[in-house]
């Protein structure tokens, strides 16, 4: 009887192995302080040149961009900034008319604003008035992240051209 | 003897198929660090690509004792130009001479394994064939 119970236990255990499942939590991404933050999405729908707030500032939070998609109606220069007319997070990038510019930096991220800064998209049209459409995926990260000028225990903006 | 056999079966069953493994588990990937060639991991860093000099352009300065592993980058050019990644100024090629068309992005998302890696102590260089503005951003780790 006991042997039968043991065999039954084994028979039950083996099929259970097939249902063993490890799932990556794609609803959250890590921040530099080790905490996780829920993934958020925002649309990009801007016209004319100048500063455009793509993500408003969140008190005590840095904004880490995981990917973005841009589709301009005309040839355009774009630069991501931490704050309006703020610290450059990229160079000024030329993007051609109707180019599908998908920048996928998952899982590590493309760049990150300073704590408390909005995410700004600076545009300047080369072909007169141009619209730029698209979307962006990001997370809000806690206050332990540092500013893009580097240093400290949070994220680090390295390189030379900062 | 029978007792030993039963005990063996029990141990075998719970070793091979622990109850805890029956559940669906949710994992979080640490995306603030990436692995280097050894067992150590290194903090993710970001840098700007913003250069327009014909010839050598230092994108990431050299770090003593460290190699620079590039996980992803994207860049566009304001004119036609060829671009080549190198380990060190005028150094070892890490890519071919890639032709960039005006306003058309070049994107490499090499995560998690990386796009390429410099030699230890070498800067990351972007060699341009002409004085054309090349801009973008880069995600990397310092290894070693």
């Amino acid at each position: 009887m006991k042997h039968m119970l043991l065999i039954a236990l084994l028979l039950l255990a083996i099929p259970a192995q097939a249902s063993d499942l490890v799932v990556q939590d794609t609803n959250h991404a890590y921040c530099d302080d080790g905490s996780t933050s829920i993934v958020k999405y925002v649309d990009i729908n801007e016209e004319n040149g100048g500063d455009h707030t793509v993500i408003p500032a969140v008190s005590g939070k840095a904004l880490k961009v995981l990917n973005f998609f841009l589709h301009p109606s005309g040839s355009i220069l774009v630069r991501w900034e931490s704050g309006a007319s703020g610290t450059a997070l990229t160079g000024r990038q030329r993007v051609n008319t109707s180019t599908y510019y998908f920048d996928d930096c998952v899982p590590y991220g493309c760049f990150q604003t300073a704590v408390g800064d909005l995410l700004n998209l600076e545009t300047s049209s080369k072909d007169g008035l141009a619209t730029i459409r698209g979307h962006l995926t990001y997370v809000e990260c806690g206050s332990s992240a540092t500013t893009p000028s580097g240093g400290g225990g949070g994220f680090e903006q390295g390189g030379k051209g900062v | 003897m029978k007792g030993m056999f039963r005990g063996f079966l029990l141990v075998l069953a719970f070793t091979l198929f622990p109850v805890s493994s029956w559940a669906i588990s949710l994992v979080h990937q640490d995306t603030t660090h990436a692995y280097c060639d050894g067992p150590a991991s290194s903090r993710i860093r970001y840098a700007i690509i913003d250069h327009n000099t014909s010839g050598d352009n230092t994108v990431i300065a050299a770090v003593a004792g460290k190699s620079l592993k590039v996980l992803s980058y994207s860049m566009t050019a304001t004119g036609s130009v060829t671009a080549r990644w190198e380990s060190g100024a005028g150094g070892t090629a890490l890519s071919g001479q890639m032709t960039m068309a005006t306003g058309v992005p070049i994107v490499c998302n090499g995560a998690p394994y990386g796009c390429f890696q410099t030699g230890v102590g070498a800067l990351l260089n972007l060699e341009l064939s002409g004085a054309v503005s090349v801009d973008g951003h880069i995600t990397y780790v310092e290894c070693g």
Side-chain angles (χ1 to χ4, degrees):
Chain A
M1 183 63 183
K2 288 179 180 175
H3 280 274
M4 289 177 68
L5 283 172
L6 287 169
I7 291 166
L9 177 64
L10 275 173
L11 290 173
L12 285 171
I14 290 167
Q17 183 76 355
S19 65
D20 185 16
L21 197 59
V22 176
V23 180
Q24 183 176 356
D25 179 3
T26 52
N27 292 319
H28 295 78
Y30 263 103
C31 294
D32 297 329
D33 60 1
S35 66
T36 59
S37 184
I38 194 159
V39 172
K40 300 187 175 190
Y41 310 100
V42 67
D43 68 294
I44 297 170
N45 189 20
E46 311 294 351
E47 296 181 4
N48 305 327
D51 291 325
H52 305 285
T53 299
V54 174
I55 309 174
V58 181
S59 178
K61 302 283 187 182
L63 307 168
K64 177 188 274 191
V65 174
L66 300 172
N67 67 46
F68 63 83
F69 177 86
L70 298 176
H71 185 229
S73 66
S75 183
I76 201 166
L77 285 169
V78 297
R79 183 169 76 168
W80 294 101
E81 296 174 345
S82 177
S85 301
T87 307
L89 299 173
T90 67
R92 281 193 176 87
Q93 295 187 263
R94 171 81 177 266
V95 185
N96 272 359
T97 304
S98 297
T99 296
Y100 296 99
Y101 179 14
F102 179 53
D103 200 348
D104 178 16
C105 306
V106 173
Y108 302 116
C110 302
F111 40 75
Q112 179 168 306
T113 69
V115 173
D117 275 3
L118 60 83
L119 179 66
N120 189 62
L121 181 62
E122 179 198 77
T123 66
S124 55
S125 174
K126 303 290 282 186
D127 297 338
L129 297 180
T131 60
I132 188 160
R133 314 292 191 211
H135 52 81
L136 182 145
T137 306
Y138 71 104
V139 287
E140 296 173 0
C141 287
S143 58
S144 65
T146 58
T147 64
S149 57
F155 108 99
E156 296 175 38
Q157 183 82 20
K160 176 175 176 289
V162 180
Chain B
M1 192 63 182
K2 285 181 179 175
M4 285 178 65
F5 179 68
R6 282 197 296 269
F8 171 74
L9 286 178
L10 272 173
V11 170
L12 184 68
F14 284 100
T15 302
L16 292 177
F17 313 112
V19 173
S20 61
S21 75
W22 298 355
I24 295 174
S25 54
L26 202 59
V27 295
H28 293 92
Q29 181 182 358
D30 177 6
T31 53
T32 63
H33 292 76
Y35 270 97
C36 294
D37 297 334
S41 64
S42 185
R43 176 174 291 279
I44 299 293
R45 296 165 188 259
Y46 307 112
I48 297 172
I49 300 170
D50 183 8
H51 300 284
N52 57 13
T53 301
S54 180
D56 294 325
N57 296 272
T58 299
V59 176
I60 307 174
V63 181
K66 304 279 188 183
S67 64
L68 307 167
K69 178 186 275 192
V70 174
L71 300 169
S72 70
Y73 70 88
S74 79
M75 57 186 181
T76 62
T78 57
S80 181
V81 69
T82 64
R84 181 167 70 177
W85 293 104
E86 294 175 346
S87 175
T92 306
L94 300 174
S95 72
Q97 287 173 322
M98 302 178 289
T99 299
M100 299 186 70
T102 305
V104 179
I106 289 182
V107 179
C108 172
N109 182 1
Y113 305 111
C115 301
F116 42 74
Q117 184 167 329
T118 69
V120 174
L123 60 83
L124 178 66
N125 188 60
L126 184 62
E127 181 196 74
L128 300 176
S129 63
V132 172
S133 185
V134 174
D135 300 275
H137 62 88
I138 193 166
T139 302
Y140 71 103
V141 286
E142 296 175 358
C143 290

